[in-house]
Amino acid sequence: MTGFYKSFRDEIAAGGAVEDDGSPTRNGRVMGLVMLAGLVALAVISPWTFVFVLGLLVCVFLHEVGHFWTARLTGMKATQFFMGFGPRVFSFRRGETEYGVRALPLGAFVRIIGMNNIDDVDPEDEPRAYRSKSYPRRLLVITAGSLMHMLIAFVLLVGVYTVSGSWTHTGLAEVQGIAPDSPASAAGMHNGDIIVSIGGKPVTTHGSVVDAIVAHDPGETVEVIWDSGGTLRNADITLAESPADNGIGFLGVYATDIVNKRLGPLTAVGRSLGEMGTTMSGSVSGVVTVLNPLNSIEQITNEDAPVDNRPTTVVGMSQVGGSVGRNEGLAGVLRLLAYVNVFVGLFNMFPVLPFDGGHAAIATYERIRSRRGRAPYRADVNKMVPLATAVMALLLFLFVTGLYLDVTRPF
C-alpha cells in the first residue's frame, strides 16, 4: 500500500487529517496570508459578499463545535480542531487537543480517535475511542454537525422575523407608493392608507386593485373609498391615462396586501419551523439533482438549462449572498444563510463516506449486526473506501463544474 493511498484512505475514514502533531510550514503561512488578503479585498470590493462569506465560515465553525462538544460530553477523545484543510497556517495545543487554522478554507474538521476498525488507537485510549462508545452516543456525535446547522437556521429565521419582520399577507390593500401629480395624489391619498373599494368593487390585493382600475377608461370618474389612519374617506376621482399603456385607466397608486411585518415570538417560531420543513423537502430533491453528474453535464452544454438545478460553489453562493445583501440588507443575508444551513445539514447526512451520514450509516449497520452477549460487530471500512473514493471523485467533478459555471455564468 503506497503512502499516498494509505493517507488518503485514512483521512476519508477518519473525516480529516490523521497526523496528531505538526508545525506550521512556510507554504502554509504564505497560503494563509493570500487567503487573508483575499478576504480583506473582498470586504473592500463587495462588503455584502464578505458578510455572507463570513457568515458561512461561522456556520462551518459551529458545525465542528457540535461534533467537538458532544464528543467531549460523551467521553470521546478529540485530538484536533481545525478550520480549513491543507498545510497548517498556525496551531496551538491546549490539553489533549490541537487547535488551529489550515490554508484552504474549504471546510473544517474535528479529529476524534478510533472512528472505525482501521483507525489505529493507543491501547490506553481505546475506551475513549468513537468506536468503543454505545450506538446512541456515536449517533449523537456524528449527527451533531447537521443538528447544529438546523439549530443555526432556526435561530436565524426566528431572529430575522422578530427583529426585521417577514413578508406577510394581510388581506388589506395597503398603499405603498403614490405617483406624483397623479389622481390618487390629488385626492389626498398617502402611503399606509388602506383602499377599501374602487368603483364599487371591493379590493384586498394588488391584483384586485389593478383589475378594478383597468376596468375603467381614462377620463372616467370612479368612487374610491379608503381608510386613512382609522378614518374612512371617499372621493370621486377622475382617472388619468396610463403613461405606460395608452387607453388604460390610471389612478397612480401602488397597493398590496403583502407587507413586511414584525412577528411575535410564537408566530416567528411557527413560521420558522414551517419554512424549515419546506426547505428540507426541497433540499431532498435538490441533493439528488446536485449529485447527478448528467445534470452538471447538461448545465455546461446547455446555456438554457434551468438555473435552479445548477451545481454551485462558495463562489456562486457568495455572488447570490452579495446580491441579496445589496437588495435586502442584513435580514436578507441572514435568511439566505438559514436556507443554506438547512440544505447543508441534509446534504451532510447523505449515507456514504466521507459524509457524516456515512459514519452514521456504519454505526447503524454495526448496531444491527451486533448481538447481545457477544463482542460488538465492527464493519470493515477498507471495503467501503472504493465507494468513498468514487464519491470524492464525484464531489471534485461537481466542484470543478460548479466553479466553472460560477465564473463563466455568474448569478
Side-chain angles (χ1 to χ4, degrees), residues 303-327:
E303 293 187 1
D304 297 324
V307 70
D308 292 344
N309 296 337
R310 170 177 147 178
T312 188
T313 65
V314 173
V315 174
M317 287 190 293
S318 300
Q319 292 168 354
V320 175
S323 177
V324 169
R326 289 187 292 273
N327 293 325

Side-chain angles (χ1 to χ4, degrees), residues 27 29 56 66 147 208 232 237 282 289 311 322-323 327 350:
N27 288 339
R29 289 194 180 99
L56 286 178
L147 292 174
S208 63
L232 205 61
I237 301 177
T289 300
S323 177
N327 293 325
F350 199 74

Side-chain angles (χ1 to χ4, degrees), residues 149-163 165-166 263-280 334-335 338-339 342:
H149 282 301
M150 298 305 170
L151 178 60
I152 293 169
F154 177 74
V155 170
L156 287 177
L157 289 175
V158 171
V160 168
Y161 293 151
T162 54
V163 176
S166 170
L263 304 182
L266 291 179
T267 304
V269 166
R271 173 71 62 85
S272 300
L273 291 175
E275 288 204 14
M276 287 178 64
T278 301
T279 306
M280 287 181 191
L334 296 180
R335 194 164 53 243
Y339 300 146
V342 172

Side-chain angles (χ1 to χ4, degrees), residues 83-104:
M83 289 293 293
F85 295 98
R88 287 172 168 82
V89 177
F90 76 88
S91 66
F92 64 92
R93 179 169 291 278
R94 180 167 295 172
E96 62 189 13
T97 307
E98 181 187 13
Y99 303 86
V101 174
R102 294 176 182 254
L104 301 177

Side-chain angles (χ1 to χ4, degrees), residues 33 43 50 75 82 95 106 139 147 202 232 264 272 337 339 344 348 380 394 399:
L33 288 174
F50 171 76
F82 271 87
L106 301 177
L139 201 62
L147 292 174
L232 205 61
S272 300
L337 280 171
Y339 300 146
V344 172
N348 186 54
D380 185 2
L394 174 60
F399 174 79

